[in-house]
Amino acid sequence: MTARELDAAGITDPALRAAYTASRRLNARHGKTYFLATRLLPVDRRAAVHALYGFARYADDIVDDLGAAASRQERRVALDTLERQWLRAARGEEAGEPVVRAAADTRARYGIPARHFTDFLASMRSDLSVEAYPTYADLRSYMHGSAAVIGLQMTPVLGTVVPRAEAEPYAAALGVAFQLTNFLRDVGEDLDRGRVYLPLDLLGAHGVDRELLAWSRRTGCRDARITAALRAAAALTRDVYRAAEPGIERLDPVSAPCVRTAFVLYRDILGAIEKDGYAVVHRRAVVGRGRRAAVALRGLAGALTARSGARPAGRAGPAERRSPAESGAPGGSGSPDGSGGPDQGGCPGGSGIAYPGGAPAATPASAVTERRREDGA
């Protein structure tokens, strides 16, 4: 954390300043998109954002990155320790971990409900035992704690031009959109951890199950059924982005450019996935540095103008309009049906149809679509 950011936020205690600085380092190292977008916030609000994301990142690292050899029980013990520290810090008592102290201080300064942190830790705990989600409704229940509450925590820090309760559903939806994007981008890596986050009914509607995904990951072969399922998951995620977007104009105008930048950059990941032929079982799709820089510069211009009071929040500039790949319109790379593209894994015919297992039983795609409508996605 820079001294300027800490001074602007009114954080003067040396130990607390060190705690916020530790949170900032976590974000700079792990959350490149979030860290970049946070630079567009007014200087007095950045420390709080780093504290909230630093706490979330720390917990996530316990679940997924606490040493390659760490057992589930060791991870569970570490998460229990974190939760005990959080409860102490929330009561105003001393906490051992700096990121816990910074998050607790931010919660108190902005009046963030404690249940948002409790719900978050509950979802982190479920990652130690739950390996798949049968339906989108089941996944939405998990994402309330793992993603929606992050948006709810952020809302008081960002500020709103409407009653907070009116802005919160959009903030929660944006957290869900970001996490669905992560799930799609990280399909292969999550398989390596033994998890499948994409709803099993959505996958099954296209004849895909865990065994097919694992086979594709292991052999490097592609399969048209997997491509179709991933395309459906991307469409579902775009639906959530559309539901969340109106919330940006409900934010304080000086905060809106930060959120708009994160919105555009994260949504761009969907376009990058499509451009790469939905090869996420085998590799991550990334947004190019040039595109990231262009969006960030436009966000900076919007932030500076908003601070001068000359530009209302939430108006999309040219770089913020969706590309054909993002909107699902023709023009993305790869074959017309999305099953082609680079790196077919050397499989016969290029499609990976040589998968030795039988096709999983499919559920009607309409059932998944209808469930999405019921969940308000």
Side-chain angles (χ1 to χ4, degrees):
M1 191 67 60
T2 67
R4 177 169 170 260
E5 290 169 341
L6 293 167
D7 291 343
I11 300 166
T12 58
D13 176 76
L16 197 55
R17 288 168 75 94
Y20 275 94
T21 299
S23 297
R24 186 181 189 274
R25 288 197 193 105
L26 269 176
N27 288 334
R29 186 165 68 247
H30 292 295
K32 292 181 174 62
T33 296
Y34 292 131
F35 185 80
L36 177 64
T38 300
R39 301 297 297 164
L40 304 179
L41 281 174
V43 66
D44 62 317
R45 305 189 198 186
R46 296 174 193 169
V49 174
H50 288 310
L52 296 174
Y53 278 121
F55 180 78
R57 171 53 62 183
Y58 189 88
D60 189 66
D61 282 350
I62 288 176
V63 172
D64 287 333
D65 299 316
L66 186 63
S71 67
R72 284 191 181 184
Q73 181 57 28
E74 289 171 323
R75 297 172 192 273
R76 188 172 288 110
V77 169
L79 199 59
D80 287 343
T81 300
L82 176 66
E83 186 164 22
R84 285 195 297 271
Q85 290 191 25
W86 165 256
L87 292 173
R88 287 199 300 269
R91 293 193 298 265
E93 301 172 12
E94 187 63 32
E97 283 298 334
V99 294
V100 176
R101 184 172 183 183
D105 183 71
T106 292
R107 188 198 77 79
R109 286 173 184 262
Y110 287 91
I112 302 170
R115 67 178 181 276
H116 295 332
F117 296 86
T118 303
D119 290 347
F120 169 75
L121 289 171
S123 282
M124 292 299 97
R125 191 175 302 281
S126 73
D127 275 334
L128 298 175
S129 58
V130 179
E131 297 180 345
Y133 293 88
T135 69
Y136 184 53
D138 295 320
L139 183 63
R140 284 292 294 264
S141 180
Y142 164 79
M143 289 192 296
H144 166 75
S146 64
V149 297
I150 303 299
L152 297 175
Q153 291 171 14
M154 287 282 294
T155 304
V157 178
L158 298 173
T160 63
V161 294
V162 297
R164 187 187 302 175
E166 181 180 328
E168 285 181 335
Y170 299 99
L174 187 56
V176 169
F178 287 166
Q179 185 157 71
L180 285 172
T181 303
N182 285 341
F183 289 159
L184 189 58
R185 180 195 63 190
D186 299 340
V187 166
E189 295 173 20
D190 287 332
L191 275 170
D192 293 342
R193 298 184 179 105
R195 301 191 199 120
V196 176
Y197 283 107
L198 299 181
L200 298 183
D201 61 345
L202 183 150
L203 295 173
H206 299 277
V208 177
D209 63 6
R210 178 189 289 268
E211 287 69 31
L212 177 58
L213 291 171
W215 170 83
S216 181
R217 176 73 169 172
R218 183 177 66 252
T219 63
C221 293
R222 305 283 295 280
D223 189 289
R225 292 168 292 181
I226 294 176
T227 300
L230 296 175
R231 187 188 298 111
L236 183 155
T237 305
R238 289 191 181 99
D239 285 348
V240 183
Y241 276 109
R242 281 190 285 271
E245 188 169 15
I248 298 175
E249 66 186 18
R250 289 165 167 79
L251 296 174
D252 186 333
V254 298
S255 298
C258 163
V259 178
R260 170 67 66 179
T261 297
F263 178 97
V264 173
L265 288 175
Y266 245 83
R267 193 182 58 187
D268 275 358
I269 295 172
L270 298 179
I273 290 170
E274 182 175 4
K275 184 177 181 180
D276 197 33
Y278 294 96
V280 288
V281 174
H282 312 291
R283 58 178 175 264
R284 272 192 178 198
V286 297
V287 178
R289 290 183 180 180
R291 169 64 176 172
R292 288 168 56 85
V295 174
L297 285 173
R298 286 177 172 82
L300 177 60
L304 293 174
T305 305
R307 289 172 205 174
S308 73
R311 177 179 183 263
R315 301 292 177 84
E320 297 161 353
R321 299 184 187 119
R322 284 179 294 164
S323 65
E326 292 172 312
S327 64
S333 65
S335 65
D337 66 356
S339 60
D343 187 13
Q344 294 293 344
C347 300
S351 66
I353 299 301
Y355 169 62
T363 56
S366 60
V368 177
T369 303
E370 185 60 34
R371 196 169 291 116
R372 284 163 51 197
R373 292 197 189 102
E374 292 170 359
D375 291 336

